[in-house]
Amino acid sequence: MIIRSHTADAAPQDLFQPSRRLALYYERSLRKIARHVGDLTMMFDGSGDSNPLPLTSALNRYALVLRPWAEQAAWRMVDDTARTVSRNWRTYSAQMGRELRREIEETDTGPAMKALLAEQVQLITSLPTEAADRVQRIATEGLVTGARFDQLRDEILRTGDVTASRATTIARTETSRASSVLTEVRARAVGSTGYIWRSHRDKRTRPSHRAMNGQFVAWDSPPTLDKLTGHAGCVPNCRCFAVPVLPE
């Protein structure tokens, strides 16, 4: 099999870059949850009662109520990403042979989308449950260390900000990962064994990821960089992306 490797001046490079617009939309959606978590933490109002049970119970109930919304938000992100990846492949495949183009367009991405959807729902609903765990942990540690109530209160009231930061990380990572996963599915369907790693060459890029720019990576062997294993765009806050290497 002849392999076509895409170089830096190849047109596909821009096509396979994840959508920044979609990442921002998903981030705004998830930060709404963080704001509500922040509102709930105000239940811990400094009245002198250090019992976290009412707050942790409220956060856990919120996670249950949140699930239908989480499914809708997750589906929109995954479906929009799939549409974008499909559109990009159609643009790219215009320069391919008819048979290869047909195989790419008819690739069944359903199982991958279903898995991504389930993972997103779990991540979204974990935001309030992780907040509840954080509140419980702070209160428990306070009992052990004998921390003053006002110290506990201030730290618990930071839970909304902590959740907002977590929401941002999820949104940025998962939109990029969804794009990478769906790109991989279509590439493998036509015999691709790997991709060219593309990274941004700016100060925000990890040195280890910058060094990967232009390197071939096998789909079956995701690299481990800075103790994190994953393909381009699939580890937390990674803005890198994969440009598939396809059969000629």
Side-chain angles (χ1 to χ4, degrees):
M1 178 176 64
I2 299 175
I3 296 295
R4 178 188 297 136
S5 176
H6 302 299
T7 55
D9 58 353
Q13 177 166 335
D14 291 336
L15 289 179
F16 292 105
Q17 190 165 350
S19 169
R20 176 63 176 160
R21 175 195 60 79
L22 181 56
L24 288 173
Y25 174 81
Y26 199 40
E27 180 179 341
R28 285 195 297 270
S29 297
L30 299 196
R31 286 178 74 91
K32 292 178 182 177
I33 301 171
R35 286 196 295 273
H36 193 53
V37 167
D39 291 340
L40 287 173
T41 59
M42 297 307 294
M43 293 172 57
F44 199 81
D45 59 6
S47 63
D49 180 9
S50 59
N51 178 17
L53 183 58
L55 177 54
T56 57
S57 296
L59 289 168
N60 284 319
R61 285 198 303 271
Y62 178 41
L64 295 175
V65 173
L66 180 64
R67 188 173 183 85
W69 183 93
E71 291 173 348
Q72 184 178 34
W75 173 251
R76 177 161 185 175
M77 187 279 279
V78 172
D79 187 52
D80 283 355
T81 300
R83 290 173 184 271
T84 300
V85 170
S86 179
R87 182 170 61 248
N88 292 344
W89 273 104
R90 283 198 300 273
T91 300
Y92 179 37
S93 65
Q95 57 188 279
M96 297 178 182
R98 180 180 303 173
E99 288 301 310
L100 187 58
R101 183 165 63 247
R102 181 181 59 79
E103 287 185 45
I104 290 175
E105 291 176 352
E106 294 180 359
T107 298
D108 182 12
T109 59
M113 291 180 65
K114 184 176 180 180
L116 285 167
L117 178 61
E119 291 161 358
Q120 296 313 302
V121 171
Q122 192 279 325
L123 285 169
I124 292 172
T125 55
S126 76
L127 288 171
T129 57
E130 287 182 1
D133 290 343
R134 181 178 189 275
V135 169
Q136 183 65 56
R137 185 172 63 253
I138 292 170
T140 301
E141 290 175 354
L143 290 174
V144 173
T145 62
R148 297 194 311 273
F149 173 74
D150 57 345
Q151 293 176 313
L152 296 178
R153 179 200 59 206
D154 291 346
E155 189 61 24
I156 286 175
L157 290 178
R158 287 189 58 249
T159 299
D161 293 335
V162 172
T163 304
S165 177
R166 172 70 175 147
T168 295
T169 298
I170 289 174
R172 294 178 180 178
T173 302
E174 293 304 309
T175 51
S176 177
R177 189 175 71 87
S179 179
S180 190
V181 166
L182 294 172
T183 294
E184 177 184 350
V185 169
R186 289 182 181 273
R188 281 181 177 270
V190 293
S192 170
T193 60
Y195 64 93
I196 302 300
W197 182 296
R198 290 300 179 198
S199 59
H200 296 273
R201 309 297 293 275
D202 56 30
K203 294 180 180 179
R204 293 171 56 197
T205 303
R206 300 174 177 92
S208 61
H209 288 215
R210 191 181 302 117
M212 287 294 295
N213 188 54
Q215 299 295 314
F216 175 83
V217 178
W219 295 119
D220 290 332
S221 301
T224 298
L225 305 171
D226 303 322
K227 298 182 180 179
L228 295 173
T229 300
H231 287 302
C234 293
V235 298
N237 290 317
C238 176
R239 297 176 297 137
C240 303
F241 56 98
V243 179
V245 174
L246 302 178
E248 188 67 58

